[in-house]
Amino acid sequence: CKKTKVHRRLYNMADTQLNISYHSITDKGGRAVNEDSLGILPTKDALYFLLCDGLGGHGSGDIASSFVVEQMKANLEKGISVEKSITQTQQALLEKQKKEDATDKMKTTLTCLTISNLDASFAHVGDSRIYYFEKGKYMVRTQDHSVPQMLYQSGEIKEKDIRHHVDRSRLLRVMGTEWSSPKYQITKGMHISQNSTFLLCSDGFWELIDEKNMCKLLKKSATPEEWLESMREVVLQNGKGTNMDNYSAIAVFVR
């Protein structure tokens, strides 16, 4: 039985009547090392959810993902904006690479969900995703910084083909590669309600379950734990017989 980490909590957002509950899982799948890292940070003004997926092909992915999560949490806890936190974390990661003679290593994706009062926003770099559902319906997700996503946006492939494309692991933006300009993407404008749901997940999770199944299982689930565990069953079934990647997810219910 593989070791699985779980985190869940009920959080009451100040100045609102909304309760926020969440649950998280992370598992090494069929790999020797789990290079995914998760972080949850409640502050007086906001609730932050972080998920990073270290790039195994570059080496030290687990170090990079953990470092980025902890740096982001430290910055956000000081009241630094998400945008500046990402920029400062990126610089700190580059400095760590140089210090440890690992400039070709220590790279990772980053996703950050921020919930503040009645608004939610996404920040991301790479192909880990954040999904937004309203009343059980899929609304929007972050757009991967990857070759298949680019091919879809140019009309060369269909969206469903992203999941199993031969170049699905080729990323165009990551934390830990020199930037000539900011490479993070910010998505704002989600006005949350008592029926809002969010999902952060690494590619080892979303590649093995589609949005249709996410919605179907969401409508049957009373808690974020039920939802994640029912999705995990699908992920494990679809990944059976393969060298499964690490998979991680954080489910957030606003009710």
Side-chain angles (χ1 to χ4, degrees):
C1 181
K2 301 180 180 67
K3 183 179 179 181
T4 300
K5 296 180 181 178
V6 172
H7 193 123
R8 51 184 172 272
R9 181 179 173 182
L10 181 66
Y11 182 85
N12 183 260
M13 182 62 69
D15 301 323
T16 76
Q17 298 299 313
L18 299 178
N19 286 323
I20 300 172
S21 58
Y22 52 87
H23 184 83
S24 66
I25 58 172
T26 183
D27 194 290
K28 67 180 182 180
R31 309 298 169 86
V33 177
N34 188 351
E35 297 181 306
D36 294 352
S37 295
L38 311 177
I40 298 167
L41 175 68
T43 70
K44 65 175 184 178
D45 298 316
L47 185 55
Y48 301 97
F49 298 91
L50 298 155
L51 184 149
C52 293
D53 177 3
L55 275 63
H58 292 81
S60 302
D62 55 331
I63 297 173
S65 65
S66 177
F67 180 81
V68 168
V69 165
E70 293 308 313
Q71 285 289 307
M72 286 292 295
K73 287 174 67 177
N75 289 337
L76 293 167
E77 198 162 23
K78 293 175 185 176
I80 299 172
S81 69
V82 171
E83 291 91 335
K84 288 185 178 179
S85 291
I86 296 175
T87 299
Q88 291 183 16
T89 297
Q90 158 75 352
Q91 188 57 42
L93 181 57
L94 293 176
E95 291 172 1
K96 182 175 177 65
Q97 289 174 346
K98 292 176 182 177
K99 183 179 179 180
E100 301 186 16
D101 193 25
T103 53
D104 292 328
K105 300 179 180 180
M106 294 186 193
K107 304 181 190 304
T108 183
T109 68
L110 165 66
T111 56
C112 177
L113 165 65
T114 304
I115 297 178
S116 180
N117 293 321
L118 294 175
D119 292 303
S121 61
F122 306 158
H124 81 290
V125 181
D127 68 343
S128 295
R129 291 181 176 181
I130 308 177
Y131 286 89
Y132 166 42
F133 304 82
E134 190 64 36
K135 296 182 180 179
K137 295 181 179 179
Y138 165 53
M139 303 299 290
V140 69
R141 69 165 172 86
T142 51
Q143 302 299 296
D144 309 330
H145 297 138
S146 68
V147 169
Q149 180 74 53
M150 180 182 66
L151 293 174
Y152 163 65
Q153 290 173 333
S154 65
E156 295 183 45
I157 65 173
K158 296 180 179 179
E159 185 172 17
K160 65 182 180 66
D161 297 328
I162 291 176
R163 279 183 167 81
H164 305 293
H165 194 276
V166 65
D167 290 325
R168 63 185 178 278
S169 296
R170 290 182 60 192
L171 302 187
L172 304 175
R173 305 183 193 181
V174 296
M175 300 285 287
T177 297
E178 291 279 359
W179 297 349
S180 57
S181 59
K183 297 301 182 182
Y184 58 80
Q185 188 171 341
I186 303 292
T187 306
K188 297 183 178 181
M190 274 80 56
H191 186 73
I192 61 176
S193 72
Q194 290 183 327
N195 295 291
S196 298
T197 304
F198 300 93
L199 174 69
L200 295 81
C201 52
S202 59
D203 63 337
F205 190 90
W206 63 256
E207 282 184 354
L208 295 172
I209 182 169
D210 60 23
E211 291 78 12
K212 182 177 180 180
N213 265 314
M214 291 178 185
C215 289
K216 178 182 177 181
L217 296 172
L218 174 58
K219 291 173 181 176
K220 296 179 180 179
S221 302
T223 67
E225 181 175 3
E226 285 182 24
W227 188 37
L228 270 193
E229 293 303 331
S230 62
M231 287 192 290
R232 188 214 294 265
E233 291 181 11
V234 176
V235 167
L236 292 175
Q237 181 61 38
N238 290 336
K240 194 173 182 180
T242 68
N243 181 27
M244 282 184 64
D245 194 1
N246 311 147
Y247 66 88
S248 300
I250 306 173
V252 183
F253 279 22
V254 184
R255 300 292 186 264

